[in-house]
Amino acid sequence: MALRDTTEIHQFPCLDDNFGVLVHDSQTGTTIAVDVPSAAAYEQALKQTGWTLSHILITHHHWDHVQGLGELKQKTGATVIGPERSRQKIAEFDQTVEDDDDVLCGPYEVKAIATPGHTLDQISWYIPSIGVAHTGDTLFSLGCGRVFEGDKEMMWSSLSKLLRKLPDDTTIYCGHEYTQANARFSLTIEPDNADLKARAEEVAALRASGKPTLPTTMAREKATNPFLRAGEASVAAALGMEGKPAAEIFAEIRTRKDNA
């Protein structure tokens, strides 16, 4: 039986606008958590699902992604894997990864994709066998992370890497529920993008019903997310930046979002 057939994914809210994610294989009992914004929220999710945590994958060192890590590891004994560049900041690591490393979590081969910009240590996690990625705070639905430790050129390079590596049908999970605010901003960049307008309406309806806007897909983001579309001629034209390099156009979009 294919892993896609035995995999269940449970996403749940943490803190104010973070998400927790559990990936579970019913055949082996393997259960992977991505980031731990809140130990209590994960404990509740594990109790609700009846799953036993085996692995924790960390995307980056920011407090709202790791503040529950120590407590959850202590209570579950899960193996913790994260970026080598965070080794000095996160004491709970059992294993660290560099760009393009593969790690085994039960039956899942998980690829580490270094996507610095938001932080220098940021890792996006990709599980090809089930077509799922968790992009931490690098790629959001209709947005991208604020650039704190890297620079805008670095962030564009990271987003470009994801565009090249992740197939269109990849299901994307990420760290925060920011989509509605991102939609409002995205429409200031591409007001005539029909796919974007439809997505913005869908997002508004989901949020009005108290439902999450995630996960998304790579295909959907490529069609609607202005931060991924910095290389598109239509975006350059909308900004009056025809002929400019994609990295420069991305930097302009990110600057506008920072000041919005």
Side-chain angles (χ1 to χ4, degrees):
M1 189 177 289
L3 264 175
R4 286 177 188 260
D5 299 324
T6 61
T7 295
E8 297 175 68
I9 300 180
H10 179 53
Q11 175 184 261
F12 52 96
C14 297
L15 307 181
D16 291 332
D17 54 35
N18 285 70
F19 282 116
V21 175
L22 291 169
V23 180
H24 176 74
D25 174 48
S26 61
Q27 289 279 87
T28 62
T30 298
T31 304
I32 305 168
V34 184
D35 289 341
V36 192
S38 162
Y42 265 104
E43 287 175 60
Q44 183 178 350
L46 290 164
K47 184 177 181 180
Q48 178 186 336
T49 56
W51 300 340
T52 300
L53 192 64
S54 55
H55 298 80
I56 302 171
L57 302 177
I58 298 298
T59 62
H60 64 295
H61 68 268
H62 279 169
W63 70 271
D64 61 324
H65 292 257
V66 299
Q67 67 173 357
L69 176 58
E71 183 179 346
L72 191 65
K73 178 179 181 177
Q74 184 177 21
K75 290 184 175 178
T76 64
T79 299
V80 181
I81 306 167
E84 170 62 27
R85 294 192 73 144
S86 302
R87 181 182 285 280
Q88 302 306 316
K89 296 177 180 177
I90 300 175
E92 292 84 4
F93 284 158
D94 297 297
Q95 182 179 348
T96 59
V97 292
E98 304 270 15
D99 183 36
D100 221 29
D101 283 348
D102 293 313
V103 295
L104 271 180
C105 299
Y108 298 104
E109 186 174 296
V110 187
K111 181 168 289 294
I113 305 173
T115 50
H118 177 69
T119 61
L120 295 179
D121 63 332
Q122 164 82 45
I123 292 287
S124 294
W125 297 101
Y126 174 43
I127 311 177
S129 58
I130 58 171
V132 168
H134 194 297
T135 54
D137 283 1
T138 295
L139 173 65
F140 299 128
S141 184
L142 299 179
C144 74
R146 192 178 285 263
V147 179
F148 287 124
E149 295 181 9
D151 55 35
K152 293 181 177 68
E153 187 172 349
M154 180 186 288
M155 183 61 114
W156 171 245
S157 177
S158 292
L159 292 172
S160 301
K161 183 191 288 190
L162 289 176
L163 281 170
R164 290 193 302 271
K165 281 188 177 281
L166 300 181
D168 283 358
D169 62 354
T170 305
T171 299
I172 306 287
Y173 291 85
C174 62
H176 294 272
E177 179 59 83
Y178 289 161
T179 316
Q180 191 163 25
N182 288 342
R184 289 192 289 267
F185 171 76
S186 298
L187 286 167
T188 70
I189 303 297
E190 281 195 286
D192 299 323
N193 181 327
D195 290 327
L196 173 57
K197 287 191 280 189
R199 174 64 169 151
E201 289 176 9
E202 176 192 34
V203 166
L206 287 168
R207 297 309 292 154
S209 302
K211 296 176 181 175
T213 63
L214 295 159
T216 182
T217 66
M218 201 63 194
R220 170 178 274 176
E221 294 308 307
K222 286 166 74 172
T224 59
N225 187 330
F227 295 96
L228 287 182
R229 293 172 54 78
E232 298 291 329
S234 58
V235 175
L239 295 175
M241 297 179 70
E242 294 95 332
K244 299 290 187 182
E248 189 176 327
I249 293 170
F250 169 81
E252 172 64 20
I253 297 170
R254 186 62 254 179
T255 299
R256 291 189 184 196
K257 181 66 166 69
D258 291 344
N259 297 326

